[in-house]
Amino acid sequence: MDTALPVVRSVADLRARVAAWRGEGLRVALVPTMGALHDGHLALVRRAAELADRVVASVFVNPAQFAPHEDFDRYPRDEAGDAAKLASAGCHLLYAPPVREMYPEGAATTIAVAGPAEGLCGAVRPHFFGGVALVVTKLFLQALPDVAVFGEKDYQQLQVIRRFTRDLDIPVRVEGLATVREADGLALSSRNAYLTADERARAPELHRALAEAASALAGGGEGGAVLEGVRQRLAAAGFGTVDYVELRDADTLAPVARAERPARLLAAAWLGKARLIDNVPVPPA
Ligand code: PAF
């Protein structure tokens, strides 16, 4: 196993590597991450390697998408471990810029996204999608990849990225990949590390409740009652605050009462110190 993954830390070095590949006629894929990599991230890298000749993964814990009271400082960081995992998954280059490279002194530009960024995580974390849009736009313009791969686990984030990439005419194809789950259904997430053993045993109830609710909705079940059923199941399983359980249009993320077109059932709920998010597709009833 080759663990000597090349690392670049500046925009100039990243661009030089990508330009050299382009000179050889190679296609380039980007997998943006915040590190603390798990098998879900590595699945993105493997998909990227199917779509392009060279894969760049970025590891950057983006301060712009955390509010002051959130977990920026304690977000797990392990660059050496991440580099070894990326190399084993077929990544060719790690881009790990320091904060000052991404946001130089005096940086004063923000990006505001409406549409799919409204409600859901956008309501509970008002700073979040602006911060994601800013860093992903910068990563796209820094690396200029042909394609970038993101997980459907962060479904609202994926739709927001698709929206601003179209709106800003950024010539990058945005590819979504199905959520990677543990055997018991829990979606892989770097924040699962915050769960105690007892909470970890309860956590799969989020996916079970969503999957059963999606079947009920696809079978014509009444939206309000089905969503309330999910909330009750989460409470019974020991979850704390439920930030949302909502049915949305799968493409625009507009709220819908029933799945007349492909829809998405999305939820976010707290279990101890971990805020878990998950979502499942709901086919038209
Ligand atoms: O999903 C993530 O890990 C982050 O939000 C992203 C897309 C890398 C932007 O910082």
Side-chain angles (χ1 to χ4, degrees), residues 43-55:
L44 303 181
V45 172
R46 285 190 284 270
R47 178 68 182 136
E50 290 170 359
L51 296 170
D53 306 298
R54 292 290 179 269
V55 179

mmCIF file with all atom_site columns, all heavy atoms in Angstrom, residues 43-55:
data_model
loop_
_atom_site.group_PDB
_atom_site.id
_atom_site.type_symbol
_atom_site.label_atom_id
_atom_site.label_alt_id
_atom_site.label_comp_id
_atom_site.label_asym_id
_atom_site.label_entity_id
_atom_site.label_seq_id
_atom_site.pdbx_PDB_ins_code
_atom_site.Cartn_x
_atom_site.Cartn_y
_atom_site.Cartn_z
_atom_site.occupancy
_atom_site.B_iso_or_equiv
_atom_site.pdbx_formal_charge
_atom_site.auth_seq_id
_atom_site.auth_comp_id
_atom_site.auth_asym_id
_atom_site.auth_atom_id
_atom_site.pdbx_PDB_model_num
ATOM 1   N N   . ALA A 1 43 ? -15.483 6.158  -0.156  1.00 0.00 ? 43 ALA A N   1
ATOM 2   C CA  . ALA A 1 43 ? -16.372 5.800  -1.278  1.00 0.00 ? 43 ALA A CA  1
ATOM 3   C C   . ALA A 1 43 ? -16.447 6.963  -2.273  1.00 0.00 ? 43 ALA A C   1
ATOM 4   O O   . ALA A 1 43 ? -16.508 6.748  -3.492  1.00 0.00 ? 43 ALA A O   1
ATOM 5   C CB  . ALA A 1 43 ? -17.766 5.456  -0.754  1.00 0.00 ? 43 ALA A CB  1
ATOM 6   N N   . LEU A 1 44 ? -16.421 8.203  -1.764  1.00 0.00 ? 44 LEU A N   1
ATOM 7   C CA  . LEU A 1 44 ? -16.425 9.373  -2.671  1.00 0.00 ? 44 LEU A CA  1
ATOM 8   C C   . LEU A 1 44 ? -15.146 9.382  -3.505  1.00 0.00 ? 44 LEU A C   1
ATOM 9   O O   . LEU A 1 44 ? -15.170 9.674  -4.704  1.00 0.00 ? 44 LEU A O   1
ATOM 10  C CB  . LEU A 1 44 ? -16.522 10.680 -1.876  1.00 0.00 ? 44 LEU A CB  1
ATOM 11  C CG  . LEU A 1 44 ? -17.719 10.872 -0.936  1.00 0.00 ? 44 LEU A CG  1
ATOM 12  C CD1 . LEU A 1 44 ? -17.636 12.242 -0.262  1.00 0.00 ? 44 LEU A CD1 1
ATOM 13  C CD2 . LEU A 1 44 ? -19.034 10.735 -1.684  1.00 0.00 ? 44 LEU A CD2 1
ATOM 14  N N   . VAL A 1 45 ? -14.029 9.053  -2.866  1.00 0.00 ? 45 VAL A N   1
ATOM 15  C CA  . VAL A 1 45 ? -12.741 9.032  -3.587  1.00 0.00 ? 45 VAL A CA  1
ATOM 16  C C   . VAL A 1 45 ? -12.759 7.945  -4.662  1.00 0.00 ? 45 VAL A C   1
ATOM 17  O O   . VAL A 1 45 ? -12.345 8.169  -5.811  1.00 0.00 ? 45 VAL A O   1
ATOM 18  C CB  . VAL A 1 45 ? -11.572 8.818  -2.605  1.00 0.00 ? 45 VAL A CB  1
ATOM 19  C CG1 . VAL A 1 45 ? -10.259 8.597  -3.353  1.00 0.00 ? 45 VAL A CG1 1
ATOM 20  C CG2 . VAL A 1 45 ? -11.455 10.011 -1.656  1.00 0.00 ? 45 VAL A CG2 1
ATOM 21  N N   . ARG A 1 46 ? -13.281 6.766  -4.297  1.00 0.00 ? 46 ARG A N   1
ATOM 22  C CA  . ARG A 1 46 ? -13.316 5.675  -5.290  1.00 0.00 ? 46 ARG A CA  1
ATOM 23  C C   . ARG A 1 46 ? -14.235 6.041  -6.461  1.00 0.00 ? 46 ARG A C   1
ATOM 24  O O   . ARG A 1 46 ? -13.920 5.768  -7.610  1.00 0.00 ? 46 ARG A O   1
ATOM 25  C CB  . ARG A 1 46 ? -13.763 4.368  -4.619  1.00 0.00 ? 46 ARG A CB  1
ATOM 26  C CG  . ARG A 1 46 ? -12.651 3.750  -3.766  1.00 0.00 ? 46 ARG A CG  1
ATOM 27  C CD  . ARG A 1 46 ? -13.013 2.344  -3.302  1.00 0.00 ? 46 ARG A CD  1
ATOM 28  N NE  . ARG A 1 46 ? -13.973 2.387  -2.215  1.00 0.00 ? 46 ARG A NE  1
ATOM 29  C CZ  . ARG A 1 46 ? -13.636 2.442  -0.931  1.00 0.00 ? 46 ARG A CZ  1
ATOM 30  N NH1 . ARG A 1 46 ? -12.382 2.432  -0.564  1.00 0.00 ? 46 ARG A NH1 1
ATOM 31  N NH2 . ARG A 1 46 ? -14.563 2.491  -0.004  1.00 0.00 ? 46 ARG A NH2 1
ATOM 32  N N   . ARG A 1 47 ? -15.361 6.691  -6.161  1.00 0.00 ? 47 ARG A N   1
ATOM 33  C CA  . ARG A 1 47 ? -16.255 7.132  -7.248  1.00 0.00 ? 47 ARG A CA  1
ATOM 34  C C   . ARG A 1 47 ? -15.549 8.179  -8.120  1.00 0.00 ? 47 ARG A C   1
ATOM 35  O O   . ARG A 1 47 ? -15.646 8.142  -9.352  1.00 0.00 ? 47 ARG A O   1
ATOM 36  C CB  . ARG A 1 47 ? -17.542 7.721  -6.655  1.00 0.00 ? 47 ARG A CB  1
ATOM 37  C CG  . ARG A 1 47 ? -18.513 8.256  -7.677  1.00 0.00 ? 47 ARG A CG  1
ATOM 38  C CD  . ARG A 1 47 ? -19.120 7.134  -8.512  1.00 0.00 ? 47 ARG A CD  1
ATOM 39  N NE  . ARG A 1 47 ? -20.017 7.661  -9.536  1.00 0.00 ? 47 ARG A NE  1
ATOM 40  C CZ  . ARG A 1 47 ? -20.035 7.245  -10.797 1.00 0.00 ? 47 ARG A CZ  1
ATOM 41  N NH1 . ARG A 1 47 ? -19.227 6.272  -11.196 1.00 0.00 ? 47 ARG A NH1 1
ATOM 42  N NH2 . ARG A 1 47 ? -20.878 7.758  -11.668 1.00 0.00 ? 47 ARG A NH2 1
ATOM 43  N N   . ALA A 1 48 ? -14.831 9.091  -7.472  1.00 0.00 ? 48 ALA A N   1
ATOM 44  C CA  . ALA A 1 48 ? -14.102 10.127 -8.211  1.00 0.00 ? 48 ALA A CA  1
ATOM 45  C C   . ALA A 1 48 ? -13.076 9.485  -9.146  1.00 0.00 ? 48 ALA A C   1
ATOM 46  O O   . ALA A 1 48 ? -12.889 9.936  -10.288 1.00 0.00 ? 48 ALA A O   1
ATOM 47  C CB  . ALA A 1 48 ? -13.416 11.077 -7.231  1.00 0.00 ? 48 ALA A CB  1
ATOM 48  N N   . ALA A 1 49 ? -12.449 8.401  -8.679  1.00 0.00 ? 49 ALA A N   1
ATOM 49  C CA  . ALA A 1 49 ? -11.433 7.729  -9.504  1.00 0.00 ? 49 ALA A CA  1
ATOM 50  C C   . ALA A 1 49 ? -12.073 7.036  -10.711 1.00 0.00 ? 49 ALA A C   1
ATOM 51  O O   . ALA A 1 49 ? -11.397 6.812  -11.719 1.00 0.00 ? 49 ALA A O   1
ATOM 52  C CB  . ALA A 1 49 ? -10.661 6.730  -8.656  1.00 0.00 ? 49 ALA A CB  1
ATOM 53  N N   . GLU A 1 50 ? -13.374 6.698  -10.593 1.00 0.00 ? 50 GLU A N   1
ATOM 54  C CA  . GLU A 1 50 ? -14.069 6.140  -11.766 1.00 0.00 ? 50 GLU A CA  1
ATOM 55  C C   . GLU A 1 50 ? -14.390 7.228  -12.788 1.00 0.00 ? 50 GLU A C   1
ATOM 56  O O   . GLU A 1 50 ? -14.512 6.958  -13.975 1.00 0.00 ? 50 GLU A O   1
ATOM 57  C CB  . GLU A 1 50 ? -15.398 5.485  -11.338 1.00 0.00 ? 50 GLU A CB  1
ATOM 58  C CG  . GLU A 1 50 ? -15.231 4.220  -10.540 1.00 0.00 ? 50 GLU A CG  1
ATOM 59  C CD  . GLU A 1 50 ? -16.567 3.761  -9.931  1.00 0.00 ? 50 GLU A CD  1
ATOM 60  O OE1 . GLU A 1 50 ? -17.613 4.446  -10.121 1.00 0.00 ? 50 GLU A OE1 1
ATOM 61  O OE2 . GLU A 1 50 ? -16.549 2.748  -9.249  1.00 0.00 ? 50 GLU A OE2 1
ATOM 62  N N   . LEU A 1 51 ? -14.561 8.464  -12.296 1.00 0.00 ? 51 LEU A N   1
ATOM 63  C CA  . LEU A 1 51 ? -15.025 9.554  -13.163 1.00 0.00 ? 51 LEU A CA  1
ATOM 64  C C   . LEU A 1 51 ? -13.891 10.353 -13.782 1.00 0.00 ? 51 LEU A C   1
ATOM 65  O O   . LEU A 1 51 ? -14.129 11.152 -14.692 1.00 0.00 ? 51 LEU A O   1
ATOM 66  C CB  . LEU A 1 51 ? -15.909 10.513 -12.346 1.00 0.00 ? 51 LEU A CB  1
ATOM 67  C CG  . LEU A 1 51 ? -17.206 9.922  -11.797 1.00 0.00 ? 51 LEU A CG  1
ATOM 68  C CD1 . LEU A 1 51 ? -17.857 10.883 -10.811 1.00 0.00 ? 51 LEU A CD1 1
ATOM 69  C CD2 . LEU A 1 51 ? -18.163 9.592  -12.925 1.00 0.00 ? 51 LEU A CD2 1
ATOM 70  N N   . ALA A 1 52 ? -12.686 10.207 -13.267 1.00 0.00 ? 52 ALA A N   1
ATOM 71  C CA  . ALA A 1 52 ? -11.568 11.034 -13.747 1.00 0.00 ? 52 ALA A CA  1
ATOM 72  C C   . ALA A 1 52 ? -10.273 10.236 -13.649 1.00 0.00 ? 52 ALA A C   1
ATOM 73  O O   . ALA A 1 52 ? -10.224 9.172  -13.023 1.00 0.00 ? 52 ALA A O   1
ATOM 74  C CB  . ALA A 1 52 ? -11.478 12.310 -12.917 1.00 0.00 ? 52 ALA A CB  1
ATOM 75  N N   . ASP A 1 53 ? -9.215  10.777 -14.267 1.00 0.00 ? 53 ASP A N   1
ATOM 76  C CA  . ASP A 1 53 ? -7.913  10.099 -14.250 1.00 0.00 ? 53 ASP A CA  1
ATOM 77  C C   . ASP A 1 53 ? -7.125  10.407 -12.981 1.00 0.00 ? 53 ASP A C   1
ATOM 78  O O   . ASP A 1 53 ? -6.285  9.621  -12.554 1.00 0.00 ? 53 ASP A O   1
ATOM 79  C CB  . ASP A 1 53 ? -7.080  10.566 -15.455 1.00 0.00 ? 53 ASP A CB  1
ATOM 80  C CG  . ASP A 1 53 ? -7.836  10.386 -16.752 1.00 0.00 ? 53 ASP A CG  1
ATOM 81  O OD1 . ASP A 1 53 ? -8.152  9.235  -17.085 1.00 0.00 ? 53 ASP A OD1 1
ATOM 82  O OD2 . ASP A 1 53 ? -8.141  11.404 -17.420 1.00 0.00 ? 53 ASP A OD2 1
ATOM 83  N N   . ARG A 1 54 ? -7.360  11.579 -12.405 1.00 0.00 ? 54 ARG A N   1
ATOM 84  C CA  . ARG A 1 54 ? -6.625  11.993 -11.215 1.00 0.00 ? 54 ARG A CA  1
ATOM 85  C C   . ARG A 1 54 ? -7.615  12.523 -10.185 1.00 0.00 ? 54 ARG A C   1
ATOM 86  O O   . ARG A 1 54 ? -8.563  13.230 -10.534 1.00 0.00 ? 54 ARG A O   1
ATOM 87  C CB  . ARG A 1 54 ? -5.610  13.102 -11.539 1.00 0.00 ? 54 ARG A CB  1
ATOM 88  C CG  . ARG A 1 54 ? -4.454  12.643 -12.420 1.00 0.00 ? 54 ARG A CG  1
ATOM 89  C CD  . ARG A 1 54 ? -3.506  11.695 -11.663 1.00 0.00 ? 54 ARG A CD  1
ATOM 90  N NE  . ARG A 1 54 ? -2.412  11.232 -12.502 1.00 0.00 ? 54 ARG A NE  1
ATOM 91  C CZ  . ARG A 1 54 ? -2.434  10.127 -13.251 1.00 0.00 ? 54 ARG A CZ  1
ATOM 92  N NH1 . ARG A 1 54 ? -3.524  9.365  -13.279 1.00 0.00 ? 54 ARG A NH1 1
ATOM 93  N NH2 . ARG A 1 54 ? -1.395  9.784  -13.983 1.00 0.00 ? 54 ARG A NH2 1
ATOM 94  N N   . VAL A 1 55 ? -7.386  12.188 -8.925  1.00 0.00 ? 55 VAL A N   1
ATOM 95  C CA  . VAL A 1 55 ? -8.286  12.597 -7.842  1.00 0.00 ? 55 VAL A CA  1
ATOM 96  C C   . VAL A 1 55 ? -7.524  13.461 -6.839  1.00 0.00 ? 55 VAL A C   1
ATOM 97  O O   . VAL A 1 55 ? -6.487  13.041 -6.303  1.00 0.00 ? 55 VAL A O   1
ATOM 98  C CB  . VAL A 1 55 ? -8.875  11.373 -7.105  1.00 0.00 ? 55 VAL A CB  1
ATOM 99  C CG1 . VAL A 1 55 ? -9.787  11.830 -5.968  1.00 0.00 ? 55 VAL A CG1 1
ATOM 100 C CG2 . VAL A 1 55 ? -9.619  10.475 -8.075  1.00 0.00 ? 55 VAL A CG2 1
#
